[in-house]
Amino acid sequence: MEKIATREAYGKALVKLGAQNPQVVVLDADLSKSTKTNNFQKVYPERFFNMGIAEQNMIGTAAGFAIAGKIPFASTFAVFATGRAFEQIRNSIAYSRLNVKIAATHAGLTVGEDGASHQAILDISLMRSLPDMTVLVPCDGVEAEQAVFAAAAMDGPVYIRLGRSAVPILHAGGDRFAIGKGEELRQGADVSLLACGIMVAEALKAAEELEAEGVSARVLNIASIKPLDVETIVKAARETGAIVTAEEHSIIGGLGSAVAEVLAEHCPVPMERVGIKDVFGESGKPQELLDKYGLTAKDIKAAAYRVIKKK
Amino acid sequence: MEQMIGESELHTTARQIRRDIITMLLEAGSGHPGGSLSAVEILTYLYFREMKVDPADPQWPGRDRFILSKGHAGPALFSVLAERGFFPREELLTFRKIDSRLQGHPDMRKTPGVEMSTGSLGQGFSVANGIALAGKLDKKDYRVFLMLGDGEIEEGQVWEASMAAAHYKLDNLTAFLDHNGLQIDGPVTEVMSPEPVADKFKAFGWEVVKIDGHSFPEIRQAIDHAKKTQGKPTMIIAETVKGRGVSFMENEAGWHGAAPNREQAEKALAELV
C-alpha cells in the first residue's frame, strides 16, 4: 500500500492552493523543512514568512494577516502551536473569529525519538474546547490535501492536525471530504470502530481480523472532530450497540471524549476508548511507541471484544 | 473623510473624552481610569488629526489601522470612537453591561471601529505586525498605529514582536509606548523594570523618539518623523501621567483598575472643565 505522511501532503497541497489563491500566505516558526511549508516557500517566497522560534508572535501575526484579508496558514509542531501559543490562539484568533488556519505537524507519539517534550497528545482537546474553532484530523495524504482546501474555502479558524510518519493512503482522489461529516469506510453490525488520523488504518485492519473471527465491525473515519457528525455517530450506536474510539491522543478531551459526550446525551451504549491513557510518552521508534502505548489494531480488536461483552 | 481640527479644538475634544471616561466608569462601576486618562492625547490626535478612517464605513479597506494592545484602556478608545462618530455617544453608558457592544476590553466583533480584540497583554503587537506585513505585501499605503503600556512590555511576546517588526523592516508601523510608569502592583521599575526602554527598542532595531505624551505638537512631530523614517518601525516613547487630568488619580497606581464613586466622579468632572 502506498504511504505518505500527512505533513508531506500538506506541503504539496499548500503549493497547489497558493497557485489558486493569491491571498494565501504561510508562516512558520523555524521548522519549515519539517512541517513541509518549505515547499510553498520555494515557489512563493514573497508570501512565506519565517517568524523564527517565536510561536506566540507567529500566531498573532497570522491574526493580523487575516484582519488584512489574507488567508494565513501558520505551521509548527503541534505541541508548540497549541501549547506554547494557546492563549494567542484563544484571544487573537478564536475569540476574534479570524480566518487563520493552524496546520500543525508532528502530532502524537509518532514523533518518535524526540520524546515526550515534542509529542502533542493534548492538542485536539485544547483546540476542541475553543468556541468557533474547527478541528480536522485527516487520516491519509489524500484527506490531508482535501482538508487544506476545505479549510481555505471556509471563513473562520481551523486547526489541522498532521503527522510526521508515512501512513497508508486509504482514499482515492476526488472531492469527498466535507467538514462536519463522518465517513463510513466499512459496514458492520456488531460494533462500530470510530477513528481519526493514523488510527483509521489500524481500525480497518482490526475490522478485517474481526470479520475473520465472525464479528461484523463498522468503521467510521471521523476526520472532522469539530463540528462532529452527531447523526452518523448516533446511527452507529443505535445500529451496532457498541462503540470503540481510537486516536493517537490522550483519552481525555479528544475523539473519545467527543464521542462519549454525544453518546451520553443521545444514545448511551457500551463504549471503549483506545488512546494514550493519561500519561506522557517517551523516546522510541514510532511503531515501538504505538505498540507500548496500546495504539494498534490489536488493541482496537481487544477493545471491540470487551465492549461487545457489555452489550 | 479626514477630520482636521485645530489645536485648541483638540484640547476641547480631549477634555470631553476625559469627561466621558469618568462618566462611563461611574456608570459601569468598574474599569480602568488611570491608563485610559494617560492615553487621551495620543488617541485624540490619531483619530482627529492623523488617521484616515471613515466612521460611516469602519471596514473601508484603505483605512489606517489602530490597535490598542493595552486593551484595558478601552474607555479611552470607546470615547474617542464615539466622539468621532463610529457609534452614538449615549452608548458609552452601556459600557461593561450585559448585551452591550462595549465590552470590558475591546471586541472587534462587537464595536464599530475597533480593529482588533485586545485585553490579553502583548497580543495586539503581533497583530499590528501582521497587518503591516500584509500592507507591505499588497503595496497598500495604509499605516498601522499601535499603543502599548509600559507594564505590558514585561510580556515576552512584546519582544518577539519587536524583533519581528524590525526584521521585516515595518516602517509602516508606528508604536506608542504609554510610559506612565505604573502598573497594578506599583511602579513598573519596582514590579519588574523594563528600563531602559529606549535603549531596548533601539537595540531591537527600532527608530526611537521620546516625547511628552500629553503635548499635541510633540505627538505630531513624532508621527511626522515616523512617516519619514524608512526601513524600520518607530517607537514613540510617550512620557505620560497615569490618571492625567484628575488631580487625585494622577500618579496613583490604585487608580489603575478602580472606578470612581459618584462623589469622586463629580469631583473629577468639576476639574475637567
Side-chain angles (χ1 to χ4, degrees):
Chain A
M1 198 181 278
E2 196 193 342
K3 284 183 157 192
I4 179 177
T6 48
R7 63 174 167 141
E8 295 279 357
Y10 167 58
K12 289 182 177 139
L14 276 183
V15 175
K16 282 192 204 171
L17 182 66
Q20 281 182 15
N21 193 333
Q23 298 303 328
V24 171
V25 298
V26 176
L27 299 88
D28 205 300
D30 193 40
L31 288 169
S32 61
K33 293 185 190 74
S34 299
T35 62
K36 301 301 170 188
T37 59
N38 67 339
N39 287 276
F40 184 91
Q41 180 188 17
K42 280 174 201 150
V43 187
Y44 304 106
E46 72 288 351
R47 284 193 270 153
F48 175 84
F49 300 89
N50 202 325
M51 303 312 295
I53 308 166
E55 295 79 11
Q56 301 173 27
N57 183 51
M58 174 176 76
I59 291 296
T61 305
F65 270 117
I67 285 181
K70 299 290 168 195
I71 305 173
F73 278 73
S75 288
T76 179
F77 288 0
V79 71
F80 308 130
T82 63
R84 186 68 168 244
F86 177 76
E87 207 237 319
Q88 283 72 19
I89 296 175
R90 181 197 187 275
N91 274 319
S92 289
I93 294 179
Y95 173 48
S96 302
R97 295 199 301 281
L98 288 172
N99 195 25
V100 175
K101 319 303 171 184
I102 301 156
T105 66
H106 295 65
L109 293 178
T110 47
V111 169
E113 292 83 347
D114 274 354
S117 62
H118 284 54
Q119 292 161 350
I121 59 172
L122 312 169
D123 55 315
I124 297 174
S125 176
L126 289 166
M127 293 298 102
R128 189 170 80 85
S129 64
L130 290 169
D132 293 313
M133 182 64 77
T134 293
V135 180
L136 307 178
V137 185
C139 71
D140 66 5
V142 171
E143 194 166 67
E145 177 178 319
Q146 291 173 351
V148 166
F149 277 83
M154 68 163 273
D155 183 19
V158 181
Y159 176 67
I160 306 175
R161 184 187 216 231
L162 303 161
R164 174 187 176 220
S165 304
V167 288
I169 290 186
L170 306 174
H171 290 98
D175 293 328
R176 175 205 57 84
F177 182 78
I179 291 171
K181 286 284 169 208
E183 177 193 21
E184 188 175 285
L185 290 174
R186 193 181 171 104
Q187 295 181 336
D190 299 329
V191 62
S192 295
L193 313 178
L194 279 57
C196 64
I198 66 164
M199 296 307 286
V200 175
E202 295 300 310
L204 284 168
K205 208 196 285 179
E208 267 173 42
E209 292 177 18
L210 285 165
E211 187 177 79
E213 295 165 20
V215 177
S216 162
R218 180 177 304 188
V219 177
L220 299 180
N221 168 27
I222 310 290
S224 179
I225 306 274
K226 187 181 175 182
L228 195 60
D229 188 346
V230 173
E231 200 184 327
T232 297
I233 293 170
V234 171
K235 185 164 171 273
R238 286 219 174 94
E239 291 175 0
T240 67
I243 299 279
V244 174
T245 57
E247 61 194 310
E248 189 195 9
H249 183 275
S250 171
I251 54 168
I252 297 176
L255 172 68
S257 292
V259 170
E261 288 158 15
V262 168
L263 296 184
E265 285 188 352
H266 299 283
C267 184
V269 295
M271 176 183 177
E272 286 268 341
R273 290 171 297 161
V274 171
I276 301 161
K277 306 225 164 3
D278 197 21
V279 291
F280 288 105
E282 64 184 85
S283 292
K285 291 197 171 63
Q287 191 56 53
E288 291 171 342
L289 289 162
L290 296 174
D291 289 340
K292 179 166 177 177
Y293 288 85
L295 301 175
T296 66
K298 193 177 92 196
D299 300 294
I300 297 172
K301 207 174 120 185
Y305 276 118
R306 284 198 303 274
V307 81
I308 287 167
K309 236 184 241 172
K310 292 192 222 161
K311 273 168 87 168
Chain B
M1 195 170 298
E2 288 175 59
Q3 188 167 341
M4 296 298 194
I5 56 178
E7 194 181 332
S8 69
E9 285 163 299
L10 281 175
H11 283 293
T12 307
T13 304
R15 189 161 56 242
Q16 183 57 48
I17 283 157
R18 285 199 163 88
R19 293 181 65 84
D20 288 347
I21 290 169
I22 296 298
T23 307
M24 66 195 288
L25 286 178
L26 169 67
E27 183 65 25
S30 68
H32 299 80
S36 296
L37 291 167
S38 64
V40 168
E41 277 76 18
I42 294 165
L43 283 170
T44 301
Y45 188 86
L46 284 173
Y47 277 92
F48 286 88
R49 186 63 76 77
E50 175 59 36
M51 285 170 49
K52 286 174 284 180
V53 291
D54 183 359
D57 183 9
Q59 294 297 310
W60 169 52
R63 71 192 182 279
D64 290 330
R65 325 291 173 109
F66 174 73
I67 308 274
L68 183 68
S69 196
K70 46 170 284 187
H72 54 277
L77 178 61
F78 295 152
S79 299
V80 168
L81 290 174
E83 195 72 27
R84 190 69 174 80
F86 282 87
F87 52 85
R89 274 189 61 214
E90 306 81 71
E91 208 171 324
L92 293 174
L93 298 178
T94 69
F95 174 57
R96 286 182 170 244
K97 291 184 178 167
I98 195 78
D99 296 331
S100 172
R101 293 199 293 178
L102 308 181
Q103 293 292 295
H105 293 80
D107 182 339
M108 64 178 285
R109 294 295 178 191
K110 288 201 164 77
T111 313
V114 168
E115 197 67 47
M116 176 64 194
S117 309
T118 52
S120 176
L121 296 174
Q123 296 198 24
F125 198 157
S126 303
V127 175
N129 281 355
I131 299 172
L133 271 170
K136 290 261 177 200
L137 183 61
D138 288 344
K139 300 185 169 54
K140 297 254 178 75
D141 64 357
Y142 64 73
R143 296 192 65 82
V144 183
F145 296 94
L146 165 71
M147 179 177 276
L148 300 163
D150 54 0
E152 176 177 18
I153 65 173
E154 291 163 6
E155 287 282 5
Q157 185 177 356
V158 164
W159 301 101
E160 294 184 0
S162 292
M163 212 183 306
H167 179 82
Y168 281 108
K169 302 181 168 54
L170 299 181
D171 51 18
N172 54 348
L173 171 68
T174 303
F176 288 89
L177 180 67
D178 184 5
H179 198 354
N180 62 37
L182 293 172
Q183 60 191 111
I184 296 177
D185 276 351
V188 293
T189 49
E190 287 178 20
V191 175
M192 179 51 65
S193 179
E195 302 297 340
V197 290
D199 291 347
K200 280 199 174 75
F201 284 107
K202 271 181 206 156
F204 272 72
W206 285 62
E207 180 74 3
V208 175
V209 186
K210 278 190 183 182
I211 62 164
D212 171 351
H214 300 301
S215 159
F216 289 116
E218 290 193 30
I219 294 168
R220 186 191 66 234
Q221 284 164 19
I223 291 174
D224 288 347
H225 180 80
K227 285 159 111 172
K228 283 186 209 131
T229 302
Q230 298 204 331
K232 55 182 171 176
T234 296
M235 177 64 63
I236 300 172
I237 296 177
E239 297 300 335
T240 56
V241 173
K242 196 152 184 164
R244 168 80 172 200
V246 178
S247 59
F248 59 91
M249 290 184 176
E250 288 191 359
N251 289 317
E252 290 290 338
W255 285 103
H256 172 89
N261 61 28
R262 187 158 297 280
E263 190 189 336
Q264 290 163 329
E266 279 168 9
K267 202 173 154 204
L269 291 173
E271 293 182 14
L272 294 166
V273 288

